[in-house]
């Protein structure tokens, strides 16, 4: 999904480098998507870069229904807008310790998606 895990981490050191990295990433990839799902809950997120609004993170969450209830709860959709610099500061403040973390993993963490590996 990402070219090189260390590329985005190296770019974090400079506001301009990180902006260039994010701009280049979204020039090559229209959006970044991901999801988390278990038997009772699901979450889908999409990240896009808009030239005016910055990063737009759309998060859709819902409850998986089991049985024959006939009615499924309506999913909740939330849209967050962050500048590229706000996103960089958020990453820096979260202090991602794992050097093998991909940018997609960072978006998942920032979006609040639980780690599927920890179940």
């Amino acid at each position: 999904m990402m070219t090189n895990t260390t590329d985005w981490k190296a770019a974090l050191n400079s506001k301009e480098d990180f902006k260039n990295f994010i701009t280049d990433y979204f020039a090559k990839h229209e959006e970044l998507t991901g999801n988390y799902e278990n038997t009772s809950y699901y979450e889908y997120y999409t990240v896009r870069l808009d030239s005016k609004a910055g990063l737009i993170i759309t998060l859709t969450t819902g409850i998986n229904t089991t049985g024959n209830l006939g009615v499924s709860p309506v999913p909740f959709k939330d849209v967050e807008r962050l500048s590229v610099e706000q996103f960089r500061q958020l990453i820096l403040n979260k202090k991602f310790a794992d050097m093998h973390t991909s940018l997609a993993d960072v978006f998942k963490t920032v979006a609040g998606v639980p780690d599927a590996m920890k179940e």
Side-chain angles (χ1 to χ4, degrees), residues 34-36 41-46 57-63 74-79 111 113:
N35 65 65
Y36 170 79
Y41 174 81
Y42 65 87
E43 232 172 56
Y44 301 101
Y45 70 91
T46 304
I57 303 171
T58 304
L59 184 64
T60 303
T61 58
I63 298 172
V74 175
F76 174 75
K77 185 174 181 177
D78 185 28
V79 177
V113 177

Short mmCIF file of all heavy atoms in Angstrom, two decimals, residues 34-36 41-46 57-63 74-79 111 113:
data_model
loop_
_atom_site.label_atom_id
_atom_site.label_comp_id
_atom_site.label_asym_id
_atom_site.label_seq_id
_atom_site.Cartn_x
_atom_site.Cartn_y
_atom_site.Cartn_z
N GLY A 34 -9.57 2.06 4.33
CA GLY A 34 -9.31 0.97 5.26
C GLY A 34 -10.57 0.63 6.02
O GLY A 34 -11.58 1.32 5.93
N ASN A 35 -10.51 -0.47 6.76
CA ASN A 35 -11.68 -0.88 7.53
C ASN A 35 -11.27 -1.75 8.69
O ASN A 35 -10.16 -2.27 8.75
CB ASN A 35 -12.69 -1.60 6.64
CG ASN A 35 -12.16 -2.90 6.09
OD1 ASN A 35 -11.88 -3.83 6.84
ND2 ASN A 35 -11.97 -2.97 4.79
N TYR A 36 -12.20 -1.89 9.59
CA TYR A 36 -12.09 -2.78 10.73
C TYR A 36 -13.46 -3.36 10.94
O TYR A 36 -14.47 -2.66 10.84
CB TYR A 36 -11.66 -2.00 11.99
CG TYR A 36 -11.76 -2.82 13.25
CD1 TYR A 36 -10.78 -3.74 13.57
CD2 TYR A 36 -12.86 -2.71 14.08
CE1 TYR A 36 -10.88 -4.52 14.71
CE2 TYR A 36 -12.97 -3.48 15.22
CZ TYR A 36 -11.98 -4.39 15.54
OH TYR A 36 -12.08 -5.16 16.66
N TYR A 41 -19.46 -5.05 15.19
CA TYR A 41 -19.15 -3.66 14.92
C TYR A 41 -18.32 -3.55 13.64
O TYR A 41 -17.51 -4.42 13.35
CB TYR A 41 -18.35 -3.13 16.12
CG TYR A 41 -17.80 -1.74 16.00
CD1 TYR A 41 -18.60 -0.64 16.24
CD2 TYR A 41 -16.47 -1.53 15.65
CE1 TYR A 41 -18.08 0.64 16.16
CE2 TYR A 41 -15.94 -0.25 15.57
CZ TYR A 41 -16.76 0.83 15.82
OH TYR A 41 -16.25 2.09 15.74
N TYR A 42 -18.51 -2.46 12.89
CA TYR A 42 -17.67 -2.22 11.73
C TYR A 42 -17.34 -0.74 11.61
O TYR A 42 -18.06 0.11 12.11
CB TYR A 42 -18.31 -2.72 10.43
CG TYR A 42 -19.57 -1.99 10.04
CD1 TYR A 42 -19.54 -0.83 9.28
CD2 TYR A 42 -20.82 -2.48 10.44
CE1 TYR A 42 -20.71 -0.16 8.92
CE2 TYR A 42 -21.99 -1.82 10.08
CZ TYR A 42 -21.93 -0.67 9.33
OH TYR A 42 -23.08 -0.01 8.98
N GLU A 43 -16.20 -0.48 10.97
CA GLU A 43 -15.73 0.87 10.73
C GLU A 43 -15.03 0.90 9.38
O GLU A 43 -14.21 0.04 9.08
CB GLU A 43 -14.71 1.23 11.81
CG GLU A 43 -15.00 2.51 12.49
CD GLU A 43 -14.10 2.74 13.69
OE1 GLU A 43 -12.88 2.73 13.54
OE2 GLU A 43 -14.65 2.96 14.77
N TYR A 44 -15.39 1.87 8.56
CA TYR A 44 -14.74 2.07 7.27
C TYR A 44 -14.26 3.51 7.22
O TYR A 44 -14.97 4.42 7.63
CB TYR A 44 -15.72 1.83 6.11
CG TYR A 44 -16.30 0.45 6.10
CD1 TYR A 44 -17.58 0.21 6.57
CD2 TYR A 44 -15.56 -0.62 5.61
CE1 TYR A 44 -18.12 -1.06 6.56
CE2 TYR A 44 -16.10 -1.90 5.60
CZ TYR A 44 -17.38 -2.11 6.07
OH TYR A 44 -17.89 -3.38 6.07
N TYR A 45 -13.07 3.72 6.71
CA TYR A 45 -12.61 5.09 6.58
C TYR A 45 -12.01 5.32 5.20
O TYR A 45 -11.51 4.42 4.56
CB TYR A 45 -11.61 5.46 7.68
CG TYR A 45 -10.27 4.78 7.56
CD1 TYR A 45 -9.24 5.39 6.85
CD2 TYR A 45 -10.03 3.54 8.13
CE1 TYR A 45 -8.01 4.78 6.72
CE2 TYR A 45 -8.81 2.92 8.00
CZ TYR A 45 -7.80 3.53 7.29
OH TYR A 45 -6.59 2.92 7.16
N THR A 46 -12.11 6.56 4.76
CA THR A 46 -11.54 7.01 3.50
C THR A 46 -10.83 8.33 3.77
O THR A 46 -11.37 9.19 4.47
CB THR A 46 -12.66 7.24 2.45
OG1 THR A 46 -13.41 6.05 2.31
CG2 THR A 46 -12.07 7.63 1.11
N ILE A 57 -11.07 13.15 6.14
CA ILE A 57 -11.19 11.78 6.65
C ILE A 57 -12.67 11.51 6.88
O ILE A 57 -13.31 12.18 7.69
CB ILE A 57 -10.39 11.59 7.95
CG1 ILE A 57 -8.93 11.96 7.74
CG2 ILE A 57 -10.54 10.16 8.46
CD1 ILE A 57 -8.11 12.02 9.00
N THR A 58 -13.19 10.54 6.16
CA THR A 58 -14.59 10.14 6.31
C THR A 58 -14.61 8.80 7.03
O THR A 58 -14.01 7.83 6.57
CB THR A 58 -15.28 10.02 4.94
OG1 THR A 58 -15.14 11.25 4.25
CG2 THR A 58 -16.75 9.69 5.10
N LEU A 59 -15.30 8.74 8.14
CA LEU A 59 -15.38 7.53 8.96
C LEU A 59 -16.83 7.11 9.07
O LEU A 59 -17.69 7.90 9.47
CB LEU A 59 -14.81 7.84 10.34
CG LEU A 59 -14.70 6.70 11.33
CD1 LEU A 59 -13.72 5.65 10.84
CD2 LEU A 59 -14.24 7.25 12.68
N THR A 60 -17.11 5.88 8.68
CA THR A 60 -18.46 5.32 8.77
C THR A 60 -18.41 4.16 9.75
O THR A 60 -17.61 3.24 9.58
CB THR A 60 -18.96 4.83 7.40
OG1 THR A 60 -18.89 5.92 6.47
CG2 THR A 60 -20.37 4.31 7.49
N THR A 61 -19.25 4.22 10.78
CA THR A 61 -19.29 3.16 11.78
C THR A 61 -20.71 2.63 11.90
O THR A 61 -21.67 3.34 11.63
CB THR A 61 -18.83 3.67 13.16
OG1 THR A 61 -19.66 4.76 13.55
CG2 THR A 61 -17.39 4.14 13.13
N GLY A 62 -20.81 1.39 12.31
CA GLY A 62 -22.12 0.81 12.48
C GLY A 62 -22.06 -0.47 13.29
O GLY A 62 -21.00 -0.95 13.66
N ILE A 63 -23.24 -0.99 13.53
CA ILE A 63 -23.39 -2.21 14.32
C ILE A 63 -23.84 -3.32 13.39
O ILE A 63 -24.78 -3.15 12.61
CB ILE A 63 -24.41 -2.02 15.45
CG1 ILE A 63 -23.92 -0.92 16.39
CG2 ILE A 63 -24.67 -3.31 16.19
CD1 ILE A 63 -24.93 -0.49 17.44
N VAL A 74 -28.97 2.39 11.34
CA VAL A 74 -28.36 3.23 10.32
C VAL A 74 -26.92 3.53 10.73
O VAL A 74 -26.67 3.89 11.88
CB VAL A 74 -29.15 4.55 10.16
CG1 VAL A 74 -28.46 5.49 9.19
CG2 VAL A 74 -30.57 4.27 9.74
N PRO A 75 -25.96 3.36 9.82
CA PRO A 75 -24.56 3.67 10.17
C PRO A 75 -24.37 5.15 10.47
O PRO A 75 -25.10 5.99 9.97
CB PRO A 75 -23.77 3.29 8.91
CG PRO A 75 -24.71 2.62 8.00
CD PRO A 75 -26.10 2.90 8.46
N PHE A 76 -23.38 5.44 11.29
CA PHE A 76 -23.03 6.81 11.63
C PHE A 76 -21.86 7.23 10.76
O PHE A 76 -20.87 6.50 10.63
CB PHE A 76 -22.64 6.90 13.11
CG PHE A 76 -22.12 8.25 13.51
CD1 PHE A 76 -22.98 9.32 13.66
CD2 PHE A 76 -20.76 8.45 13.72
CE1 PHE A 76 -22.50 10.58 14.01
CE2 PHE A 76 -20.27 9.69 14.08
CZ PHE A 76 -21.14 10.75 14.23
N LYS A 77 -21.94 8.39 10.16
CA LYS A 77 -20.88 8.89 9.29
C LYS A 77 -20.34 10.20 9.87
O LYS A 77 -21.10 11.08 10.22
CB LYS A 77 -21.42 9.13 7.88
CG LYS A 77 -20.37 9.53 6.87
CD LYS A 77 -21.00 9.60 5.49
CE LYS A 77 -19.98 9.96 4.45
NZ LYS A 77 -20.56 9.97 3.10
N ASP A 78 -19.01 10.27 9.98
CA ASP A 78 -18.36 11.46 10.51
C ASP A 78 -17.30 11.91 9.51
O ASP A 78 -16.59 11.09 8.94
CB ASP A 78 -17.70 11.13 11.85
CG ASP A 78 -17.11 12.36 12.53
OD1 ASP A 78 -17.62 13.48 12.29
OD2 ASP A 78 -16.16 12.20 13.30
N VAL A 79 -17.20 13.21 9.29
CA VAL A 79 -16.20 13.75 8.37
C VAL A 79 -15.34 14.74 9.15
O VAL A 79 -15.84 15.65 9.79
CB VAL A 79 -16.86 14.46 7.16
CG1 VAL A 79 -15.80 15.08 6.26
CG2 VAL A 79 -17.74 13.51 6.38
N ALA A 111 -7.71 8.01 13.00
CA ALA A 111 -9.16 7.89 12.85
C ALA A 111 -9.80 7.17 14.02
O ALA A 111 -11.02 7.15 14.15
CB ALA A 111 -9.49 7.17 11.54
N VAL A 113 -9.47 3.82 14.65
CA VAL A 113 -9.85 2.45 14.32
C VAL A 113 -9.09 1.50 15.23
O VAL A 113 -7.87 1.59 15.33
CB VAL A 113 -9.52 2.14 12.84
CG1 VAL A 113 -9.85 0.71 12.48
CG2 VAL A 113 -10.29 3.11 11.93
#
